[in-house]
Structure formats: C-alpha cells, structure tokens
Amino acid sequence: MSQQPGNRRKRINVRLDRIRTSRYSGLFGSAEIIALAGSALVLILVIISYVYFLVPARSNLAAAKTEQARLKTLLSSSREVVREGETTEATVKNITESLEHFESSGLLERIQGRMDLYDELNELIRKNGLRNTSGPTYTVLEPAGSKTAANKGASAKWQSVYPGIAISLTVEGQYPNLRRFVRDIESSKLFLIVNGVELERATETGSGAEVSQRASLISLRLDMATYFQRANGETPTAAQATGN
C-alpha cells in the first residue's frame, strides 16, 4: 500500500512532462511550418510582382505622361503655325485687294493722266499767282524691271511697278502763295508725290522798281512724280516688284 502513492506521483510527473513537451513542440508543428512556408512564398511573389510589373508600369506611365506633354506642345505649335498661315493669307489677300482698288480708283490711264497733269500744273501756277521760271521738265518713268526701263540718273530712283512721269519745276512768288501752291499739289485729285523741295530768295535782276519788287519773292523748286495704271491690267512680276 505504501508504494501506490509513489507510483501515482510518478505517473503524474510523466503526464506533466508530456504536457510540457507537447505544449512547446506545438508552436512549430507541421501545420505551422506549412503556413509559414506559404506566407514566405506569397511574400516572395509580391516582391517579384513589384519588381517585374509595378516598377516598369510606373516607368511606362511616367514616359507616357512626358510624351503626352510633348505632343500637347507640338499640337499647340502646329495650331499656332496654322493660325499664322491663315493670318498671313488674309493679310496678303487684303493687300492685293487694296492695291487693286488703289490702281483702279486712284490712278489714271497713262494718256489721260498726262494731259490732266499738264493742265493741273498750269492751272495751279496761274491760280496762285506764281511765275514759272524753269520747267516743268518731264521724264518718263517706265515700270521698274521692264525691258523698256532705261531711266538713269536722279529720275531712276522714282521708278516703281507703275509707269509714271518725273516732274521738275521752279516757280517764283510770294511765300504765302508758294505754301498754297504746295498744299494744292498735295491735295490734288491726281496722284502727285512731292519728292524734293528747295526754297531760296529769288535772283535780283533788273534795276529800280523791278529789283525792289523781286526782293520779296521766293524761288521754289519742286521734284515730283506721278504714276498711272498699268497697261491692260498687267500685274508686276517678282523682279518688277523688287526693282531687280
């Protein structure tokens, strides 16, 4: 009977040892090991996916955004070029229409224009009480670049794409009358351009009352040019337009 308590105590200790062993060994059982291995595999797959898929995708997205910005800039520049081209075309059209209107309504036909020019100058000289002391001298201006253009010297620089006449004229009179004469020329219905003006006191020739009267006179020299319509509506060539 005395051995039973001792045996019972041994059996209890053995059971306690088994419980302790199973408790500690249970943390790393087969199920736990499998779960841990699966987790490690998933982590490795996540890392591989990040390196091989997400990083390149982000790089491609950044490159696509850069390309998009470049294409937007290129599109904006192309639109600006198109707008400038349309504006240039409209400007050229307006200039052409303006030139056509100027030639048809502002310039006279050559023969009629010459006759009106002679009559206009004589009338203005008479109207303003002036005395014609030199000229008018007329030099024909052929269109610049044309085969018949042979003007040389001072008159050549007044050539244009239109045919015309260079006029040199010297008159004498009182200063107020000369001012009105120049004003009348500038406001004339004819297309007259004043290229040069020279004023000086009139030469005192003669004697007595004549010298006294001429002392208050002023001599005015004018260099002018007028232009006419081109024959048969001829349009200027590039060489004529540039004067080459």
Side-chain angles (χ1 to χ4, degrees):
M1 297 292 297
S2 59
Q3 293 179 351
Q4 289 181 357
N7 293 333
R8 187 178 298 173
R9 191 177 297 113
K10 288 180 180 179
R11 287 195 297 270
I12 292 171
N13 290 333
V14 170
R15 288 179 179 177
L16 289 175
D17 290 339
R18 288 179 179 176
I19 292 174
R20 292 191 188 99
T21 302
S22 63
R23 182 179 178 181
Y24 288 109
S25 63
L27 293 175
F28 298 97
S30 58
E32 286 78 6
I33 293 173
I34 292 172
L36 182 62
S39 300
L41 179 61
V42 171
L43 178 61
I44 292 172
L45 291 176
V46 169
I47 294 174
I48 293 174
S49 299
Y50 177 81
V51 172
Y52 285 96
F53 297 102
L54 184 59
V55 172
R58 287 181 176 178
S59 178
N60 292 336
L61 178 61
K65 288 183 176 180
T66 302
E67 181 66 12
Q68 182 185 28
R70 187 186 71 83
L71 292 177
K72 284 184 177 180
T73 302
L74 181 61
L75 178 61
S76 178
S77 301
S78 300
R79 287 176 177 173
E80 185 66 25
V81 170
V82 171
R83 282 195 296 268
E84 289 179 356
E86 292 176 350
T87 303
T88 302
E89 183 179 357
T91 301
V92 171
K93 181 179 179 181
N94 291 335
I95 292 174
T96 303
E97 291 177 351
S98 177
L99 285 175
E100 291 175 353
H101 176 73
F102 163 73
E103 182 170 359
S104 61
S105 62
L107 299 180
L108 298 176
E109 188 272 335
R110 187 181 304 197
I111 297 177
Q112 183 62 44
R114 286 177 178 175
M115 299 302 299
D116 290 351
L117 173 64
Y118 304 152
D119 294 340
E120 181 82 358
L121 289 179
N122 290 330
E123 173 62 22
L124 293 180
I125 292 173
R126 183 195 61 77
K127 172 186 173 183
N128 291 283
L130 304 177
R131 187 169 73 93
N132 186 0
T133 60
S134 176
T137 58
Y138 302 98
T139 304
V140 176
L141 300 175
E142 295 295 341
S146 64
K147 296 180 179 179
T148 57
N151 298 98
K152 297 181 180 180
S155 61
K157 62 183 178 181
W158 309 129
Q159 288 179 312
S160 74
V161 296
Y162 299 103
I165 294 176
I167 309 108
S168 180
L169 170 67
T170 304
V171 292
E172 284 184 357
Q174 299 292 332
Y175 181 71
N177 295 346
L178 295 175
R179 288 186 59 183
R180 285 193 296 270
F181 177 65
V182 174
R183 181 199 61 193
D184 291 342
I185 286 177
E186 292 179 337
S187 60
S188 171
K189 64 180 180 179
L190 301 177
F191 186 71
L192 283 169
I193 300 175
V194 178
N195 296 316
V197 178
E198 292 184 11
L199 280 174
E200 61 181 8
R201 188 172 298 278
T203 305
E204 297 181 2
T205 59
S207 61
E210 184 179 355
V211 173
S212 177
Q213 182 180 4
R214 291 180 57 82
S216 61
L217 298 180
I218 302 296
S219 176
L220 169 68
R221 175 177 174 177
L222 289 177
D223 290 323
M224 300 176 290
T226 187
Y227 301 95
F228 310 118
Q229 295 178 4
R230 294 187 293 265
N232 301 323
E234 179 186 5
T235 57
T237 63
Q240 289 175 326
T242 58
N244 295 329

